[in-house]
Amino acid sequence: MKINNKDLIQSYILTTAKYNYSVYEKRILYRIIELMQEYTKGKLLNERYSITKTMFDDIDVIMPISAFLKDEKDQNYTRTKKALLSLNRKIIQYEDKETWAAFNLIERPVVHKMGDNISFRISPTIAKAFLDFSKGFSKYELKTAMSFKSEYSMRFYELLSEQKSPIIYSIENLKIMFKVENKYKLTANFINKVIAPAKRELDEKSPYSFEYKPIKTGRKITSVKFYPIYQPKNRDMSIEAKKLQKRTSLNWDLDKMTINYLIENYVFTEKEIQNNRDLFVAAQNSSNFDLLYFLSEQKRNAVTKRNPKGWIINAIKKQISSKR
């Protein structure tokens, strides 16, 4: 199936989560993220895609099987079914101050052979995790992410896409994050089998790759410093053009009512909204936070502050963080 390329915004909760998903499992997750974001923005879905919320707020999803394949030449339906079964068996634990719960990542996967579609269900808690930007988010190209042959390349792409500064990860944390802590006992093997191959594939296909430097404590390698590298030759220029258009039009990803409310009630200029755009978009797209209601509710508090605009920006940051 042809992939309509776009930048996906992924919650950092998912980017830094501990898991060992296969390539096909990751492709299914990419499509879920894509569909959830289109749905929450109120965009009209392709006729072969469907999201329905049940009376208990579970989300039923229907997609074509071909959505999870890399391209038109990829006919590996068997691996897609295996990936669905594996995702159905994976348990996600959720805990806050009041409750602990465990959920299947997806539920009730069904392959509709006559229609060449699959369907499955997502619990409300899992759905919220896909849209929880309280700990930040990463952004990456869907088409590039779907093209990787290695799940490790996918993970490094998510971690380093659009990064500007070097990042240091301990070997222990990387192994835990990638769920290979019992697979590579020698650090040299981990670097040679995980990091180096991922770098080669990112160098070949990705607009974002990296250089890396092992860091030693004494004689032992304990951490790795990653230096993000931008490769414009691998960037989809049509997406870059849309990105430039987005910068000039606030309506691209912000609700018009929210823009007008910020301008009329908080005296934001369009430039000031633009400067804080990522925060407003993350707040608007958060499934458990109503930005427009919060702005109206906090107006009486903001007007008593020396800097109402700065105060409401910090209030939004704190509120999103508290909703995680």
Side-chain angles (χ1 to χ4, degrees):
M1 182 177 185
K2 183 179 178 181
I3 299 171
N4 295 318
N5 203 13
K6 65 190 72 176
D7 278 335
L8 289 189
I9 298 175
Q10 176 170 294
S11 166
Y12 227 64
I13 293 173
L14 298 177
T15 301
T16 58
K18 304 167 187 176
Y19 61 75
N20 59 341
Y21 298 148
S22 70
V23 169
Y24 275 74
E25 288 173 70
K26 286 290 293 177
R27 289 177 185 161
I28 293 170
L29 290 175
Y30 288 145
R31 286 301 200 183
I32 294 174
I33 292 168
E34 175 194 17
L35 190 56
M36 291 291 292
Q37 289 176 14
E38 298 291 293
Y39 175 71
T40 55
K41 289 178 182 177
K43 292 188 176 181
L44 191 64
L45 300 179
N46 183 294
E47 60 182 8
R48 297 195 66 190
Y49 294 77
S50 171
I51 287 185
T52 306
K53 187 176 287 189
T54 71
M55 62 182 296
F56 300 108
D57 288 333
D58 291 307
I59 294 176
D60 288 331
V61 179
I62 299 176
M63 295 183 186
I65 293 179
S66 55
F68 309 130
L69 306 180
K70 185 177 68 173
D71 51 40
E72 291 85 348
K73 298 178 182 178
D74 188 347
Q75 298 296 321
N76 207 330
Y77 295 111
T78 301
R79 290 183 66 182
T80 299
K81 294 173 187 176
K82 183 179 178 181
L84 286 167
L85 186 60
S86 179
L87 288 173
N88 178 234
R89 290 171 175 166
K90 281 185 166 61
I91 302 296
I92 303 297
Q93 298 185 48
Y94 172 84
E95 187 170 4
D96 58 24
K97 293 179 181 179
E98 299 177 354
T99 60
W100 170 90
F103 302 89
N104 297 92
L105 185 54
I106 66 170
E107 302 170 4
R108 308 183 188 182
V110 177
V111 175
H112 305 272
K113 294 182 179 180
M114 296 299 293
D116 198 26
N117 288 334
I118 63 102
S119 64
F120 53 86
R121 175 168 288 183
I122 303 173
S123 77
T125 301
I126 296 297
K128 286 180 181 178
F130 282 106
L131 299 169
D132 186 346
F133 304 118
S134 62
K135 293 187 177 180
F137 54 86
S138 56
K139 186 184 293 184
Y140 51 84
E141 285 183 21
L142 173 62
K143 189 173 183 179
T144 300
M146 294 282 284
S147 72
F148 292 124
K149 296 178 180 178
S150 164
E151 61 269 32
Y152 302 134
S153 302
M154 293 171 163
R155 294 301 304 276
F156 277 114
Y157 181 46
E158 294 166 22
L159 287 168
L160 295 167
S161 184
E162 295 206 339
Q163 286 287 344
K164 302 291 192 300
S165 304
I167 306 174
I168 296 176
Y169 285 103
S170 70
I171 294 293
E172 181 182 6
N173 283 344
L174 279 173
K175 285 185 175 182
I176 291 172
M177 192 187 305
F178 287 21
K179 295 291 285 183
V180 294
E181 55 266 47
N182 297 320
K183 189 172 182 180
Y184 300 105
K185 293 185 178 180
L186 296 178
T187 300
N189 286 346
F190 175 73
I191 292 174
N192 292 333
K193 298 292 186 180
V194 175
I195 298 177
K199 171 180 161 47
R200 287 194 293 270
E201 192 167 20
L202 264 64
D203 285 345
E204 177 187 352
K205 301 175 180 177
S206 169
Y208 292 93
S209 188
F210 61 89
E211 297 291 347
Y212 65 94
K213 177 183 177 182
I215 299 174
K216 291 185 178 181
T217 301
R219 300 178 63 181
K220 183 180 179 181
I221 297 174
T222 54
S223 303
V224 178
K225 189 171 186 177
F226 296 94
Y227 300 86
I229 296 175
Y230 178 53
Q231 303 184 124
K233 65 182 178 65
N234 290 337
R235 175 62 165 159
D236 187 331
M237 287 298 107
S238 66
I239 292 184
E240 199 62 28
K242 290 178 183 177
K243 194 174 179 181
L244 291 172
Q245 182 181 354
K246 171 184 170 181
R247 288 174 183 167
T248 61
S249 173
L250 290 173
N251 291 323
W252 183 266
D253 53 8
L254 271 177
D255 182 78
K256 188 175 181 180
M257 290 180 65
T258 301
I259 296 169
N260 290 341
Y261 199 90
L262 287 167
I263 292 172
E264 294 170 6
N265 293 275
Y266 285 87
V267 202
F268 273 90
T269 65
E270 289 195 2
K271 184 177 180 181
E272 288 170 332
I273 297 174
Q274 192 74 264
N275 291 341
N276 296 280
R277 185 180 198 138
D278 286 344
L279 173 66
F280 292 136
V281 171
Q284 175 185 272
N285 292 344
S286 180
S287 60
N288 55 358
F289 180 62
D290 188 327
L291 175 58
L292 191 58
Y293 175 77
F294 184 76
L295 290 171
S296 62
E297 184 184 46
Q298 296 300 320
K299 182 185 173 184
R300 62 182 180 273
N301 294 323
V303 295
T304 66
K305 309 301 178 184
R306 176 181 293 182
N307 180 6
K309 287 181 273 193
W311 183 86
I312 194 64
I313 287 169
N314 287 327
I316 292 170
K317 289 178 180 177
K318 291 177 183 177
Q319 191 69 13
I320 294 178
S321 180
S322 71
K323 296 288 184 181
R324 67 181 184 269

